[in-house]
Amino acid sequence: MKTVIANWKMNPQSLREAEGIFKSIKKKILKLKETEVVICPPSIYVNKLSTLNKSNLLNLGAQDIFYQEKGSWTGKLSPKMLREIGASFVILGHSENRQLGENNEIVNLKIKLALKNRLGPIICIGEKKRDNEGDYFSFLEDQLLSALKGIGSSFSKKLVIAYEPVWAIGKASKKIIKPKDLLQIVIFIKKILADKYGIENLEKIKILYGGSVSPLNVEELIREGGINGFLVGRDSLIPENFIKILKIVEKQF
Ligand code: PGA
């Protein structure tokens, strides 16, 4: 089973538009057998979209949670609240949140709380830039191991790792990672996961790629990049493009 996640970020600006995009995607989703689709709209739309999702053809997710379960935290949303209104996944550690000050420790707390509340964590890691010395490998290892600190192998089947190099987010579709470079990172991530969780648990953990994913680049990335799917930003708001991506992923079986 492959997984494709839509990260709508702070879009669209009205519930009506959100419903429109959601319905357009849902209409075309009927034929997918091998691809799990998760739509992560702004949290305020999750409740309404879940009422349009009675047949559960799509999964809904949130884009963040707070790292405390409840209490006096103005403006924050707890994992339980999001679970209750229909989310079953949550994107955590996205580089746009890390840029606002979220550190590895907070990401780790959020992942633990998500798991406790039965929200599947989509754990984002990714280097800001690449250097010739390969320092980004140790940066990625540190991000990954800090995120997974204290999380045992019994949770491995719930984990989704999204490799999103920051330099590839929001760019032109041609200016992203080459499949062979992606494969190298995927092998590196798998080695770390195998050391932590044992080779027998490796297959349970999904590794996705994100960063300017579009119908123009998904085919070679899924064929040669060693990944289990994608985290899609901009093109997940354009139903026509998102459906094209889903069809290409579905075809890779
Ligand atoms: P993008 O965003 O597809 O628009 O580059 C991806 C992401 O930030 O998750």
Side-chain angles (χ1 to χ4, degrees), residues 32-206:
L32 297 180
K33 296 242 164 8
E34 307 290 347
T35 314
E36 168 187 52
V37 184
V38 184
I39 308 288
C40 299
S43 295
I44 196 159
Y45 302 148
V46 170
N47 200 8
K48 180 67 203 234
L49 297 187
S50 75
T51 65
L52 302 177
N53 194 33
K54 287 283 178 267
S55 50
N56 283 326
L57 287 172
L58 294 163
N59 300 279
L60 283 161
Q63 297 172 17
D64 197 14
I65 48 172
F66 194 52
Y67 63 87
Q68 297 283 342
E69 285 200 276
K70 59 180 175 186
S72 306
W73 303 102
T74 304
K76 306 298 184 216
L77 296 175
S78 75
K80 200 166 184 174
M81 291 170 187
L82 290 158
R83 173 86 220 172
E84 164 123 346
I85 59 167
S88 43
F89 290 84
V90 60
I91 298 172
L92 294 173
H94 193 280
S95 58
E96 285 154 11
N97 287 334
R98 292 182 190 263
Q99 214 176 328
L100 295 174
E102 184 169 86
N103 60 28
N104 286 338
E105 289 67 38
I106 294 197
V107 174
N108 175 249
L109 287 174
K110 289 182 175 183
I111 295 168
K112 287 178 176 156
L113 265 196
L115 289 167
K116 187 173 168 200
N117 289 279
R118 293 179 297 119
L119 286 178
I122 299 150
I123 305 164
C124 301
I125 59 167
E127 75 281 4
K128 287 200 196 77
K129 55 181 174 29
R130 291 214 157 185
D131 52 88
N132 293 332
E133 290 71 43
D135 284 349
Y136 54 93
F137 282 105
S138 45
F139 178 83
L140 286 174
E141 180 171 19
D142 183 45
Q143 269 194 340
L144 185 58
L145 288 176
S146 315
L148 297 175
K149 200 168 168 191
I151 296 167
S153 58
S154 60
F155 289 109
S156 50
K157 61 175 182 300
K158 302 249 187 287
L159 302 174
V160 176
I161 312 294
Y163 169 61
E164 293 211 303
V166 181
W167 51 266
I169 294 176
K171 298 289 184 310
S173 59
K174 298 262 184 227
K175 290 205 170 143
I176 62 156
I177 198 158
K178 302 209 171 17
K180 69 171 180 22
D181 294 334
L182 177 58
L183 181 62
Q184 193 178 41
I185 296 290
V186 171
I187 293 169
F188 181 69
I189 291 174
K190 284 191 173 177
K191 168 80 174 76
I192 297 168
L193 294 173
D195 286 348
K196 185 169 170 72
Y197 292 125
I199 198 97
E200 67 282 7
N201 288 311
L202 195 54
E203 289 306 309
K204 298 179 193 158
I205 307 175
K206 289 195 170 144

Side-chain angles (χ1 to χ4, degrees), residues 7 9 94 96 164 168-171 210-213 231-234:
N7 178 8
K9 308 193 179 185
H94 193 280
E96 285 154 11
E164 293 211 303
I169 294 176
K171 298 289 184 310
S212 303
V213 170
L231 176 49
V232 189
R234 285 159 299 163

